[in-house]
Amino acid sequence: MAAAPVIAFGELLMRLDTHGHERFVQSDGFRTTFTGGEANVAVALTQWGLPTRLVSRVPDHDIGTACLNHFRRYGVETDLVLRGGERLGILFVETGASQRGSRVIYDRLHSSLRSIDAGELNWNAILDGAGWFHFTGTAPALGANVVEALHDGLAAARERDVPVSFDCSFRSTLWSEDQAAEILPPLLEYVDVFVGSARDAQTFFGVPGEGEESMAGMAAKYDLRAVAYTKRIVAPTGINTYSASLRLDGCTYVSPALDVAVVDRIGTGDAFTAGLIRGLILEDPPQRTLDFSVAAAVLKHTVPGDFALLSVEEIQQLLDGPGVGSVRR
């Protein structure tokens, strides 16, 4: 029997990259792709055999169509995406190297999703037969009307016992910490799986502490089934060390810490979240779910662009050791 689809609600964006590792001020052109935090999760899950559907709004012109075609290319269903509004939001990306980090500049005002009317979304139809609902903190950052639409979707998911995951993904260029601390807590009442950090827990949800204490506090305060925190250490050479912890059904699990040389850091958190969702849907052992998620995030660092274009076999190969980094012939 086929798995029920994962519904991903959020903004779809055009990504414009400078060539290679050029700076914004020196580049004479940009490479165009399309992205979105929730959509990145959807693409990863489709690579791993789970059906996904995007819920969003894009302009009713050729750029909007190009955006949807980009996601269809990777097997993501886009029939639920509305058409309308002025434009796609844009992120400009300058990819760093070694000690120089990457930079992102957003251009997201007046985008199609920002101008959505909550009544445009028929959540009863959207969630019919759905197996999961995912969103990130970038969606409610887009305005009161998007918050209303999201709230309606979360309430409908709760009525249908559809599990909900939320990646905090705070972006200071979209809204302030005070705004997020006001808007996010009521939404978390509908969430089953939280992805973030101890800082997120303290700043936006008033939960003190670090590590296991913080995760347990979040789980207790919001009746969460799962809480996952990721951790990144960046060495002076630019090498990243990535790990995570997971509190699931009252038990805590910790992953190994893995080193990685970064090709593109954007989308790594989405790869982690996708791995977590996959493991929970498939009911994999919790430690294996966490380790798979970390391995997916680590390997995503080696892939240009936002998408974790990785097979389950490649991720498991990193988990299990033999052949890591070797040439496959």
Side-chain angles (χ1 to χ4, degrees):
M1 182 177 178
V6 174
I7 304 298
F9 173 75
E11 186 168 37
L12 304 180
L13 302 158
M14 178 185 290
R15 172 173 167 168
L16 299 178
D17 285 77
T18 61
H19 298 299
H21 296 280
E22 289 182 343
R23 310 301 307 270
F24 286 132
V25 295
Q26 75 181 125
S27 183
D28 60 1
F30 294 90
R31 176 176 177 266
T32 304
T33 55
F34 298 92
T35 183
E38 298 84 358
N40 296 340
V41 170
V43 170
L45 290 172
T46 61
Q47 306 311 294
W48 305 334
L50 295 174
T52 61
R53 295 175 181 168
L54 298 181
V55 178
S56 190
R57 189 170 185 254
V58 301
D60 191 14
H61 54 50
D62 284 352
I63 301 302
T65 300
C67 175
L68 298 185
N69 287 345
H70 187 71
F71 291 104
R72 292 188 188 112
R73 172 183 176 184
Y74 296 102
V76 178
E77 294 185 29
T78 63
D79 293 348
L80 298 175
V81 177
L82 303 176
R83 305 301 295 267
E86 297 181 31
R87 60 185 290 261
L88 280 179
I90 299 172
L91 69 155
F92 297 88
V93 178
E94 174 188 288
T95 301
S98 191
Q99 289 92 338
R100 177 169 64 86
S102 297
R103 295 181 60 206
V104 173
I105 296 175
Y106 287 117
D107 175 14
R108 300 173 75 159
L109 292 178
H110 311 293
S111 64
S112 289
L113 188 60
R114 280 183 182 266
S115 61
I116 196 172
D117 186 312
E120 294 181 67
L121 293 170
N122 182 351
W123 287 107
N124 288 326
I126 290 169
L127 293 169
D128 184 30
W132 199 276
F133 183 101
H134 177 65
F135 73 105
T136 76
T138 61
L142 299 179
N145 53 328
V146 180
V147 173
E148 182 182 356
L150 176 58
H151 181 273
D152 291 347
L154 293 173
R158 176 58 57 88
E159 289 177 3
R160 290 160 181 75
D161 292 324
V162 176
V164 174
S165 54
F166 167 62
D167 181 353
C168 196
S169 293
F170 175 74
R171 301 289 182 265
S172 60
T173 55
L174 295 180
W175 58 349
S176 70
E177 289 186 352
D178 288 343
Q179 289 173 311
E182 178 183 355
I183 299 299
L184 292 179
L187 298 178
L188 213 68
E189 300 290 346
Y190 298 93
V191 169
D192 301 285
V193 177
F194 174 83
V195 180
S197 67
R199 185 183 185 279
D200 293 333
Q202 172 69 63
T203 304
F204 308 120
F205 304 103
V207 175
E210 297 290 335
E212 186 172 3
E213 177 189 0
S214 174
M215 292 192 294
M218 283 293 291
K221 185 171 183 177
Y222 292 100
D223 193 26
L224 298 165
R225 182 189 174 202
V227 177
Y229 290 172
T230 59
K231 181 179 181 180
R232 179 191 303 276
I233 299 172
V234 182
T237 57
I239 295 294
N240 283 214
T241 301
Y242 194 94
S243 61
S245 53
L246 169 67
R247 186 172 180 84
L248 177 64
D249 296 330
C251 298
T252 301
Y253 306 86
V254 179
S255 80
L258 301 179
D259 294 337
V260 61
V262 178
V263 172
D264 192 337
R265 175 171 160 173
I266 297 174
T268 55
D270 300 321
F272 174 85
T273 300
L276 192 61
I277 293 171
R278 173 188 178 272
L280 293 173
I281 289 176
L282 298 181
E283 299 182 343
D284 284 346
Q287 188 66 55
R288 186 70 176 182
T289 292
L290 178 63
D291 293 350
F292 181 97
S293 303
V294 168
V298 165
L299 285 177
K300 167 59 197 72
H301 286 77
T302 71
V303 180
D306 288 70
F307 298 164
L309 301 177
L310 306 161
S311 69
V312 171
E313 291 72 24
E314 287 173 314
I315 297 167
Q316 290 176 338
Q317 184 182 38
L318 176 58
L319 280 177
D320 298 331
V324 173
S326 62
V327 178
R328 300 177 65 185
R329 303 182 187 275

